[in-house]
Amino acid sequence: MNTSFSSKDPSTLSNYTKFDVTDGALDMDIDFDAKVVHGRITYQLVAREDTKSIVLDTSHLKIRRAAVGEVEVDYKLHDRKEPLGSALEIFYDFKQTARTTVTIDYTTTDKCTALQFLDKEVTDGKKAPYLFSQCQAIHARSMVPCFDTPSVKSTYVLSATSPYKVLMSGRFIEKKGDKYFFEQPVPIPSYLLTVASGDIVGAPIGPRSTVYSEPVGIKAAQWEFEADMEHFLEIAEKLVFEYEWGTYDALVLPASFPYGGMENPNITFLTPTLICKDRSNVSVVAHELAHSWSGNLVTSKNWEHFWLNEGWTVYLERRIIEAITYADAKRKGKANPEQFAAQMRSFLAIIGWNDLENSVKAFGPELSQYTRLVLELGSADPDDSFSSVPYEKGSSLLVHIEEVLGGKKVFDPFIPHYFKKYRYKSVDTKDFLDTLYEFFADKKDKLDKIDWDTWLYGEGMPPKPKFDTTLADECFKLANEWKAATKSGDYDKFSPKDVESFEANQSVVLLDTLSSFENQNDFHWADHAKALEAMDKAYPIYSDTQNAEIKSRFYMLQVTGKSKKYCKLLGEWLGEVGRMKFVRPGYAILNEVDHDLAVEYFTKWENTYHPICRALVKKDLGLS
């Protein structure tokens, strides 16, 4: 087995290996008129060796002052190196083991990729401007000078001044005038630093949880999450160990938020596409909650080992949903609830497998290196490698390990052991493997049968698991009936009754399966426009639904068939959502059908997207 893993972070320009950061204090003054943040960051540092300077990551920041202790010192902002930004070098004679305080005053600029300022006219309530941050992967350096690497973790005191409510990635302490104070006693990396400010209100969704949003959406958000939040917490604690962040709150952001969720400590950020009025997408909350252990407590050392964050999180997320399903089935008196819960876990894995296949296809042969679990990023932007690969390939590996070892009962004791061993630390794949082999020393022969090189370094799809398809078989059957009907032309037999009993995820599997027929044995939906028109008439619920997972899939299936009606509907819908899970594939499929139309819609909506999303779609469309 190849174990030549790199622990040095290639995505930072800093000299982070020369220092230990013990504490940080970040103070922000939010200027909505100028759309900038005036900040001061103070680090308590201990040098690991004698050195003449400290080098921090920055990106498009204006540095106003640097000091060591109370004394101003010289500094140099080095030339920019894309995509990693500009190294800020602060000159001082640092002595080994000496504790030092370094303070930098700075201002963000309009090129800041971590912050998005929204005018009040584009918010839901239209009553106040809005600001939110998104620092993962390497965008924190555009919001604050820092060791912008997951290898460095620190406790923080956080504060921000704003005329509007402020939320940050810590426990709320107090408000004095327009200034809000928070503390984060658990060490966190720079990418988990967070700020949001705007017309924000909260509502309880559990004994230790509050959901926040603009006032116009607070009731819907509260209803969507209040039934499950505390149950998720309790189940996760049984799987791993006690939740130690105090509160678990969530903020539903405006539409331009580029991700499904972001696991910012104490205040998870969520996309508004989760609010579909049927609680069918709450698994995203289970995912972000699981990050409280995998990613936040135990963090990958760098983005080349990102699968350790996301693979573990998907694994835990599906274990949480499995346990919820079991409890519900038992309460309702369902026969064999344990089997049903296991079927649900497998069903969710099938959906994930479809997502993985789509990601592998999207990368294609030119970018196939991004389909590996352990990456070699070099100086590339980690955002370029973002996909479902670390999530789904990583979780598939953990499920494979579980099965090889003998099942959940055998594997489960390893979960709390791993997370306790590396709590507050950053790890790489070698750390994971060493701990796995140490814990299961008596089962080394079984672990050795795993093809580690293929799983960790192999490109493309991993070995396919044996899924329990019980809950998916009905979806597969209906999809195959549609495919068969393209030969007979008999579409009258299909009706809304086909899918009226489907759970939301069954509709997802149906649509994924229909889409998977494209390019299969020379089958093309563009050759069967009448079938897609019949599907549109038979299942109007799919175009009318508020569930973005279903709507996006139905729209893109229709566009695959070159439906002019749905090219327009998809293009217009892409102006309503900012979540990259939908935006990037949406433009990609439009681009395949009509490049000029894709560019036209992107140009129309470009300024509504988050900077991260905007930059990646530009690359996707060949505009960057």
Side-chain angles (χ1 to χ4, degrees):
M1 175 173 53
N2 186 343
T3 56
S4 57
F5 305 111
S6 172
S7 291
K8 178 70 169 66
D9 190 343
S11 302
T12 176
L13 299 173
S14 70
N15 61 349
Y16 74 94
T17 59
K18 295 185 177 182
F19 294 90
D20 290 315
V21 183
T22 57
D23 300 285
L26 174 60
D27 182 55
M28 310 176 85
D29 187 353
I30 302 169
D31 187 338
F32 280 98
D33 293 330
K35 296 185 178 179
V36 298
V37 166
H38 307 288
R40 169 174 287 184
I41 181 69
T42 300
Y43 295 111
Q44 300 289 333
L45 303 160
V46 176
R48 296 179 182 175
E49 60 186 71
D50 290 353
T51 183
K52 297 295 184 181
S53 66
I54 182 172
V55 182
L56 300 173
D57 291 300
T58 78
S59 180
H60 300 299
L61 290 177
K62 292 181 180 178
I63 307 302
R64 305 196 310 270
R65 174 181 175 270
V68 176
E70 299 299 322
V71 180
E72 286 195 32
V73 294
D74 292 334
Y75 63 87
K76 180 180 180 181
L77 197 59
H78 290 269
D79 291 342
R80 186 172 179 84
K81 293 183 178 180
E82 293 291 354
L84 304 182
S86 306
L88 171 63
E89 187 170 12
I90 299 171
F91 301 101
Y92 184 78
D93 192 11
F94 294 93
K95 297 298 184 182
Q96 185 177 8
T97 72
R99 184 175 296 275
T100 313
T101 301
V102 175
T103 301
I104 305 113
D105 294 338
Y106 66 94
T107 299
T108 63
T109 68
D110 60 0
K111 293 183 179 180
C112 175
T113 54
L115 298 175
Q116 185 169 28
F117 284 90
L118 300 173
D119 295 329
K120 67 178 182 180
E121 290 78 14
V122 296
T123 64
D124 291 337
K126 306 187 187 309
K127 290 185 178 180
Y130 205 108
L131 166 69
F132 68 87
S133 63
Q134 172 57 39
C135 290
Q136 194 183 46
I138 58 170
H139 300 281
R141 64 193 67 180
S142 72
M143 185 178 80
V144 55
C146 58
F147 290 128
D148 200 5
T149 167
S151 289
V152 175
K153 303 173 82 170
S154 169
T155 60
Y156 282 90
V157 175
L158 305 164
S159 57
T161 302
S162 172
Y164 309 104
K165 186 175 181 65
V166 172
L167 297 168
M168 300 184 81
S169 48
R171 304 173 190 178
F172 176 70
I173 302 301
E174 62 179 342
K175 176 180 181 288
K176 292 182 179 180
D178 285 343
K179 193 163 188 174
Y180 295 76
F181 295 85
F182 304 80
E183 67 172 357
Q184 182 49 265
V186 181
I188 62 172
S190 56
Y191 76 86
L192 292 179
L193 290 170
T194 309
V195 64
S197 183
D199 184 19
I200 297 170
V201 296
I205 53 172
R208 42 185 164 168
S209 301
T210 299
V211 67
Y212 295 91
S213 79
E214 292 182 75
V216 294
I218 192 62
K219 288 185 178 179
Q222 182 182 31
W223 183 88
E224 202 78 25
F225 304 121
E226 64 184 355
D228 299 294
M229 192 62 257
E230 185 61 19
H231 292 155
F232 287 167
L233 274 162
E234 291 170 350
I235 291 168
E237 288 178 321
K238 290 177 182 177
L239 269 173
V240 196
F241 49 75
E242 184 179 358
Y243 179 79
E244 61 182 280
W245 302 84
T247 57
Y248 182 83
D249 299 334
L251 170 64
V252 179
L253 286 155
S256 60
F257 182 59
Y259 297 106
M262 182 61 209
E263 62 273 16
N264 304 311
N266 298 99
I267 186 67
T268 282
F269 282 8
L270 295 173
T271 170
T273 60
L274 302 185
I275 311 299
C276 45
K277 299 183 178 180
D278 61 5
R279 294 175 174 151
S280 58
N281 284 331
V282 294
S283 62
V284 172
V285 178
H287 179 92
E288 303 309 330
L289 169 64
H291 267 305
S292 301
W293 292 268
S294 58
N296 293 10
L297 276 187
V298 180
T299 308
S300 61
K301 282 183 179 175
N302 58 59
W303 304 108
E304 294 182 330
H305 300 270
F306 186 46
W307 81 271
L308 289 170
N309 285 11
E310 297 299 350
W312 263 115
T313 300
V314 172
Y315 177 88
L316 294 174
E317 166 201 341
R318 290 183 183 148
R319 292 293 304 274
I320 292 170
I321 299 300
E322 180 183 24
I324 284 277
T325 303
Y326 170 79
D328 287 346
K330 189 175 182 180
R331 186 178 65 253
K332 294 174 182 177
K334 191 176 184 69
N336 204 336
E338 188 171 358
Q339 181 184 43
F340 179 68
Q343 290 169 350
M344 178 58 70
R345 183 188 179 196
S346 188
F347 181 67
L348 295 174
I350 290 170
I351 296 174
W353 189 264
N354 291 335
D355 288 342
L356 179 58
E357 286 183 325
N358 290 334
S359 288
V360 170
K361 288 177 184 176
F363 279 129
E366 292 183 358
L367 297 174
S368 61
Q369 71 270 23
Y370 291 146
T371 65
R372 295 168 45 175
L373 273 188
V374 180
L375 301 174
E376 292 182 13
L377 289 173
S379 60
D381 189 338
D383 283 343
D384 291 345
S385 68
F386 183 84
S387 74
S388 65
V389 171
Y391 297 73
E392 298 299 340
K393 201 171 188 177
S395 62
S396 293
L397 172 56
L398 290 169
V399 171
H400 182 57
I401 295 170
E402 171 198 305
E403 292 173 346
V404 165
L405 289 170
K408 290 185 295 185
K409 289 183 179 179
V410 177
F411 184 69
D412 278 5
F414 175 71
I415 299 174
H417 172 79
Y418 170 78
F419 287 103
K420 284 179 181 176
K421 179 177 180 179
Y422 292 112
R423 180 166 47 185
Y424 314 140
K425 298 178 182 178
S426 299
V427 298
D428 60 20
T429 302
K430 184 178 185 302
D431 295 322
F432 167 76
L433 289 174
D434 287 347
T435 305
L436 184 72
Y437 269 83
E438 287 168 7
F439 190 84
F440 292 108
D442 61 332
K443 294 179 173 57
K444 182 180 181 298
D445 57 331
K446 292 185 176 182
L447 291 174
D448 283 343
K449 292 179 180 178
I450 296 174
D451 186 352
W452 294 108
D453 287 340
T454 295
W455 274 101
L456 298 174
Y457 294 106
E459 297 179 354
M461 297 297 293
K464 188 169 184 176
K466 292 181 180 179
F467 295 117
D468 183 333
T469 63
T470 303
L471 299 180
D473 286 341
E474 192 176 356
C475 315
F476 297 151
K477 179 175 179 291
L478 182 57
N480 285 322
E481 287 175 359
W482 273 102
K483 188 176 182 182
T486 61
K487 295 180 180 179
S488 67
D490 180 16
Y491 303 122
D492 292 336
K493 65 179 181 179
F494 299 105
S495 74
K497 291 184 178 180
D498 300 340
V499 296
E500 65 182 8
S501 65
F502 274 17
E503 297 288 339
N505 280 329
Q506 287 179 295
S507 290
V508 166
V509 170
L510 168 65
L511 294 169
D512 279 343
T513 307
L514 289 167
S515 294
S516 73
F517 295 150
E518 181 69 18
N519 291 322
Q520 204 179 84
N521 299 320
D522 207 31
F523 181 92
H524 302 284
W525 281 110
D527 298 331
H528 305 289
K530 289 185 179 179
L532 292 176
E533 290 173 6
M535 200 180 298
D536 189 18
K537 292 178 181 178
Y539 307 147
I541 188 175
Y542 286 166
S543 57
D544 295 337
T545 182
Q546 294 187 60
N547 188 314
E549 297 284 353
I550 296 172
K551 184 185 286 285
S552 65
R553 285 169 166 84
F554 188 67
Y555 278 11
M556 288 192 286
L557 174 62
Q558 291 285 342
V559 171
T560 301
K562 299 185 179 180
S563 164
K564 291 184 178 180
K565 169 187 172 182
Y566 275 94
C567 282
K568 181 177 180 181
L569 284 173
L570 176 59
E572 293 296 328
W573 187 66
L574 291 174
E576 300 175 15
V577 295
R579 186 178 176 186
M580 289 194 293
K581 179 179 183 179
F582 307 131
V583 173
R584 293 186 70 190
Y587 280 112
I589 199 75
L590 269 183
N591 192 47
E592 289 180 16
V593 174
D594 189 333
H595 172 74
D596 291 342
L597 185 64
V599 172
E600 179 184 331
Y601 274 114
F602 176 68
T603 303
K604 182 177 181 179
W605 306 125
E606 178 179 2
N607 290 332
T608 68
Y609 295 132
H610 189 278
I612 298 173
C613 178
R614 189 161 59 239
L616 289 173
V617 175
K618 277 187 174 181
K619 289 182 181 179
D620 295 341
L621 296 180
L623 302 176
S624 59

